[in-house]
Amino acid sequence: MSKIKLFIVEDELILAHDLKAKLSDLGYEIMGMDTKGESAVETIAALKEKNQEPDIIIMDVKLADSMDGIEAARILTENSNCGIIFLTSLNRNDVFAKSFSLKPYAYLFKPVDIDQIRAAIEVANYQRNLEITNERIISELKTEIQHRKSAEKEKNQRWQERIRAEQKVNQLIKQKHQVELDLINRELATSSIFISQKNKIIGLIRKDLNRLLKKGKVITKKEVTEVLDTIDENVKFDNDWYRIKAHFEKIHPGFFDRLREKHPQLTPTDHKLAALLRMNLATKEISHILKITSPSTEISRIRLRKKLELPKGTNLVQFICNV
């Protein structure tokens, strides 16, 4: 176990040398001795720079020159880890009042018994070491807490980034599924319309052909013309619109009611175009169903935009899909 290092600040030289001799005999290491507060502060600061700072300073309260022992102890307490033991012959109350805020380890009043000062040194050194150990532990705990907070913060940031990434992926997957669903609905709707039209035409043609076969005569040109007229008549979109509309409203219930409520200025022809746009059909497909040219379909789209009073940059199909 290393020796306790002492520094004596006492302006009575005889007492100072006597203390030094007795304390050395007791096994303490005397790092220095001074009679003035100013020079003692400078000497101890120099020892600290060399990592030779004393453990305990025995400080006389009353010193020569302008700096007394209490002021010197205040400076040393602020700038070092030395423990202070005050040594004085002054009135106890005065000493306590002036030095209490410095929290010295002990007060010794002259004349001092060597056993008394030895006990004070041992207790002061034990308490000082305990405080230093506590401060070190607290500092280590604060550092550990800071490290854990930083690690937890980084972990939370990584989790948040992962959550955001997963949300983005889920959103993209959802968008993909929606696009696929829209495509399926579009294909189903278009197929249903054409299948419905085809079935009706086939049924009418079958009916006419059966009628002709039952007659048992040679089929005339006029009768063939009548069958062709039936075909031409039934491929027109207007003739089958009521069934297409019924089919459409099964997929998009309430669409026409909402469209009429929000935009009463629209005509039945506008409703048909809006329905085909809601089905996400391309211009070519719409032109084929309406039996008009693609430029005419584009003109119809422009007219519908004007009636809906859509601002520039607003997507017509997206607007109709939100009806």
Side-chain angles (χ1 to χ4, degrees):
M1 185 175 180
S2 59
K3 294 181 179 181
I4 298 175
K5 295 179 288 186
L6 305 177
F7 195 96
I8 300 172
V9 185
E10 171 61 62
D11 62 353
E12 295 181 24
L13 286 176
I14 295 175
L15 177 58
H17 283 288
D18 183 55
L19 279 174
K20 180 179 178 181
K22 291 180 178 179
L23 292 173
S24 296
D25 291 342
L26 291 173
Y28 298 112
E29 182 179 356
I30 309 300
M31 303 300 296
M33 188 173 65
D34 210 311
T35 60
K36 296 181 180 179
E38 294 90 338
S39 56
V41 169
E42 293 175 0
T43 301
I44 293 171
L47 289 171
K48 180 180 180 180
E49 291 181 359
K50 299 176 183 179
N51 291 324
Q52 297 177 354
E53 184 180 60
D55 300 314
I56 303 296
I57 300 173
I58 299 174
M59 177 74 71
D60 188 7
V61 173
K62 187 177 181 182
L63 298 173
D65 291 342
S66 58
M67 184 181 291
D68 62 9
I70 294 176
E71 182 59 27
R74 190 185 307 279
I75 295 172
L76 291 170
T77 300
E78 293 173 354
N79 298 292
S80 70
N81 289 320
C82 301
I84 303 295
I85 294 177
F86 280 122
L87 184 63
T88 183
S89 58
L90 298 176
N91 181 276
R92 291 171 181 258
N93 293 332
D94 292 340
V95 174
F96 289 157
K98 292 179 181 179
S99 64
F100 186 75
S101 61
L102 300 179
K103 298 180 180 178
Y105 289 113
Y107 292 94
L108 299 176
F109 295 90
K110 301 177 184 178
V112 178
D113 179 76
I114 193 64
D115 290 330
Q116 183 183 11
I117 197 169
R118 180 180 183 181
I121 291 170
E122 293 294 333
V123 172
N125 188 64
Y126 175 80
Q127 186 175 349
R128 173 180 173 274
N129 287 336
L130 187 62
E131 290 175 356
I132 292 174
T133 300
N134 288 340
E135 288 176 0
R136 177 179 56 79
I137 292 173
I138 291 171
S139 177
E140 291 174 353
L141 287 174
K142 286 181 178 179
T143 302
E144 178 65 20
I145 290 171
Q146 189 62 38
H147 286 163
R148 291 190 179 186
K149 284 183 177 179
S150 299
E152 189 67 23
K153 184 177 180 181
E154 291 177 2
K155 182 179 178 181
N156 288 337
Q157 287 176 344
R158 288 195 297 270
W159 271 108
Q160 289 173 1
E161 290 173 359
R162 181 176 177 181
I163 291 171
R164 285 194 292 269
E166 290 178 352
Q167 288 175 341
K168 188 173 182 180
V169 170
N170 291 336
Q171 184 178 5
L172 292 174
I173 293 173
K174 184 178 180 181
Q175 290 175 352
K176 180 184 176 183
H177 289 167
Q178 187 61 46
V179 170
E180 292 173 349
L181 181 62
D182 289 343
L183 180 60
I184 292 171
N185 286 336
R186 170 183 166 181
E187 292 175 349
L188 287 175
T190 306
S191 299
S192 298
I193 291 172
F194 285 114
I195 289 171
S196 175
Q197 287 181 306
K198 182 188 72 172
N199 290 339
K200 180 182 178 181
I201 293 171
I202 291 173
L204 292 172
I205 294 172
R206 180 184 293 275
K207 181 179 179 181
D208 287 343
L209 291 175
N210 286 332
R211 178 177 52 81
L212 293 174
L213 289 173
K214 287 179 180 179
K215 289 174 64 177
K217 297 179 180 180
V218 176
I219 300 173
T220 64
K221 181 179 179 181
K222 179 182 177 183
E223 289 171 330
V224 172
T225 301
E226 289 176 354
V227 173
L228 293 176
D229 289 340
T230 299
I231 295 173
D232 291 337
E233 181 180 348
N234 284 279
V235 295
K236 293 181 180 180
F237 184 72
D238 286 340
N239 291 342
D240 226 17
W241 169 245
Y242 72 94
R243 288 191 301 108
I244 296 172
K245 180 179 178 183
H247 173 79
F248 176 85
E249 288 201 316
K250 289 180 181 179
I251 303 174
H252 307 288
F255 174 81
F256 293 108
D257 292 337
R258 293 192 298 273
L259 193 63
R260 277 191 291 270
E261 182 180 351
K262 292 182 179 180
H263 307 285
Q265 73 277 19
L266 299 183
T267 65
T269 301
D270 295 328
H271 289 177
K272 296 174 185 178
L273 177 58
L276 296 174
L277 291 172
R278 181 65 182 83
M279 292 161 63
N280 285 325
L281 297 181
T283 299
K284 185 177 180 180
E285 294 170 324
I286 296 174
S287 301
H288 179 73
I289 294 173
L290 295 178
K291 298 299 178 182
I292 60 177
T293 63
S294 294
S296 297
T297 301
E298 291 295 336
I299 292 172
S300 298
R301 289 170 64 112
I302 293 171
R303 290 173 177 170
L304 181 59
R305 286 184 61 89
K306 289 182 178 180
K307 289 183 179 182
L308 295 173
E309 299 180 348
L310 297 185
K312 187 177 180 180
T314 301
N315 185 278
L316 174 60
V317 176
Q318 187 64 44
F319 179 84
I320 291 175
C321 288
N322 292 328
V323 172

